[in-house]
DNA sequence: AAACATTTTTAGTTTTGCCTAAAAATATAA
DNA sequence: TTATATTTTTAGGCAAAACTAAAAATGTTT
């Protein structure tokens, strides 16, 4: 499996979650910052290897085999992120690009040993679940802050958008995984929220709230 | 710098140590398990980028810029080897292939943080020196066991050949870095040696002795 | 120094992964 | 439902990195 094939599988995997239909070549091309025609080429190759199911003009979807491969790449990516943050003191907004490279290292032993070394973490630094060595993903109860009702006490358990600008905003506001959040009021006009984050008052836009995962206390 | 270019630089670097003249395309092709014609192509490209000095039919040598790059790849390779052995419990005969992949990961921050995490090791698991972040290599006093005189007490500090078959042989004989070795006698016929390794008697062929680095106590 | 052998380079292909431009299929609108 | 717009695929090309086979240069013998 080449570097490039792995990237395609990963992208198709991510586009698939919560999307039951076939993934369009356009969507893939957008995500990969490439061209639809390039995607068509690669998708044919992946179909040849039975990693995706593909019918012309109908989009693609992962086969079970393809899904299994994709999940393993995600596992590697997220384990490396934990390593970078927990062991090498990277911050959560710095890990993505390096993990993108590390996820392609081929050695089952390496990844299982790393898993053990990190104490079998179940989530990465952004709160995303880490598949176990069999590809099983423990799903966590979580909801968007924007969809949470008033006066609820919740804790922050993840981010939807993990762009560094969003993560740096959260750092600035001292919101981290594990932060206690209470929704004090919701502005009707723009859906912005008044919060208490670790007992300190903070006002956030709906866009912020729509990218923060929380779970009830 | 591509993956392939890095591999060429690394190979040229290794062939250069202890070899003042230009490195032949044939030598490089042998080392890389490829063909001389392929080497010629790549060498031209590297010369274009001023990483090597190259004159047709005269072989290649690294420029200072090329040497600096090569040393950084070696630094990464050896640091990752330390990581694998010290932190993930790999044995010294298992690390090479994985380190070969990891050495191409691009992130200065990663490698400096890793260095720090490992406590700034000066040698890799085979006793080879690890260049510091400026490319400086501390050279260690060491000699081949085969060139050591009788009745000398030495300790094992490295291996010349780091193939897994040799390393596994050493494991079996319980010879490791730090082992105390005394040369009891040398057989004139085949230059084989009678040793005491950690006070236990052991007889080894000249070939073994010619691949073990030791230093006087 | 000429003849032969070896090494190195050149020339021309192949494969992979991408591209552009044009054609084909599908989706949307009048 | 036909016309128009959008999406997707095909066709043909390009660059990187490898290869084979042939040509050129260098080395080695006699």
């Amino acid at each position: 499996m080449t570097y490039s094939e792995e990237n395609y599988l990963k992208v198709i995997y991510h586009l698939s979650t919560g999307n039951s239909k076939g993934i369009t070549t356009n969507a893939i091309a957008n995500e990969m910052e490439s061209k639809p025609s390039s995607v068509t080429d690669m998708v044919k190759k992946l179909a040849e290897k039975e990693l995706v199911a593909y019918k012309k003009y109908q989009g693609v979807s992962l086969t079970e085999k393809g899904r299994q491969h994709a999940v393993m790449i995600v596992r590697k990516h997220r384990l490396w992120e934990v390593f970078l943050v927990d062991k090498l003191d990277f911050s959560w907004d710095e890990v993505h690009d390096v993990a993108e490279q590390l996820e392609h290292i081929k050695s089952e032993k390496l990844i299982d040993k790393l898993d053990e070394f990190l104490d079998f973490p179940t989530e990465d630094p952004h709160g995303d679940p880490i598949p176990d060595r069999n590809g099983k993903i423990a799903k966590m109860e979580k909801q968007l802050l924007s969809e949470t009702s008033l006066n609820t006490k919740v804790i922050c358990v993840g981010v939807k958008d993990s762009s560094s600008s969003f993560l740096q905003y959260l750092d600035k506001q001292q919101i981290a995984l594990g932060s206690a959040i209470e929704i004090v009021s919701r502005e009707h006009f723009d859906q912005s929220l008044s919060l208490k984050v670790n007992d300190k008052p903070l006002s956030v836009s709906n866009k912020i709230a729509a990218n923060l995962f929380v779970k009830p206390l």
Side-chain angles (χ1 to χ4, degrees), chain A:
Chain A
M1 178 104 71
T2 69
Y3 195 99
S4 188
E5 287 170 341
E6 290 192 346
N7 281 333
Y8 273 91
L9 282 188
K10 190 183 53 165
V11 164
I12 297 168
Y13 174 80
H14 286 308
L15 290 171
S16 297
T17 59
N19 197 328
S20 55
K21 314 142 209 138
I23 308 303
T24 67
T25 40
N26 241 340
I28 298 169
N30 271 341
E31 199 67 25
M32 313 243 320
E33 302 188 331
S34 69
K35 305 289 161 176
S37 55
S38 308
V39 175
T40 304
D41 285 350
M42 181 56 88
V43 154
K44 280 177 179 172
K45 209 171 112 187
L46 294 175
E48 198 70 35
K49 297 191 177 187
E50 299 184 305
L51 294 162
V52 302
Y54 168 62
K55 273 203 200 117
K56 278 188 195 178
Y57 298 99
Q58 307 305 129
V60 276
S61 57
L62 292 174
T63 61
E64 185 46 35
K65 186 175 158 193
R67 206 195 66 87
Q68 197 61 29
H69 274 279
V71 166
M72 281 304 145
I73 298 164
V74 169
R75 168 170 160 81
K76 290 196 272 182
H77 183 101
R78 293 181 179 164
L79 281 174
W80 281 116
E81 287 194 343
V82 173
F83 170 70
L84 294 172
V85 168
D86 286 8
K87 303 296 181 181
L88 301 195
D89 289 316
F90 277 60
S91 56
W92 66 347
D93 62 303
E94 294 175 313
V95 296
H96 192 267
D97 292 350
V98 182
E100 242 0 32
Q101 297 179 63
L102 287 163
E103 74 191 2
H104 298 289
I105 302 294
K106 278 163 194 57
S107 166
E108 231 180 287
K109 174 159 189 170
L110 171 62
I111 208 64
D112 288 339
K113 285 285 192 174
L114 182 64
D115 196 14
E116 185 185 348
F117 180 59
L118 299 172
D119 252 333
F120 306 105
T122 55
E123 286 125 44
D124 79 8
H126 313 108
D128 295 315
I130 299 176
D132 71 16
R133 56 166 296 150
N134 303 310
K136 192 149 183 193
I137 302 174
K139 58 168 160 297
M140 232 227 299
E141 178 198 6
K142 65 183 178 184
Q143 63 196 85
L144 290 173
L145 179 59
S146 55
E147 286 162 5
T148 302
S149 49
L150 286 186
N151 295 315
T152 326
K153 287 187 180 176
V154 296
I155 56 170
C156 174
V157 296
V159 294
K160 184 152 175 248
D161 173 358
S162 55
S163 68
S164 59
S165 61
F166 182 52
L167 297 175
Q168 282 167 19
Y169 166 84
L170 296 177
D171 283 344
K172 204 162 54 190
Q173 306 303 339
Q174 300 185 58
I175 302 173
L177 299 196
S179 293
I181 299 178
E182 187 185 343
I183 308 183
V184 178
S185 66
R186 173 174 276 118
E187 188 59 50
H188 189 260
F189 175 63
D190 64 354
Q191 304 283 58
S192 67
L193 298 175
S194 286
L195 308 176
K196 285 205 172 165
V197 178
N198 293 325
D199 290 322
K200 278 187 287 190
L202 177 70
S203 164
V204 300
S205 71
N206 176 260
K207 183 166 182 187
I208 299 295
N211 280 295
L212 262 190
F213 286 120
V214 298
K215 78 168 184 200
L217 255 186

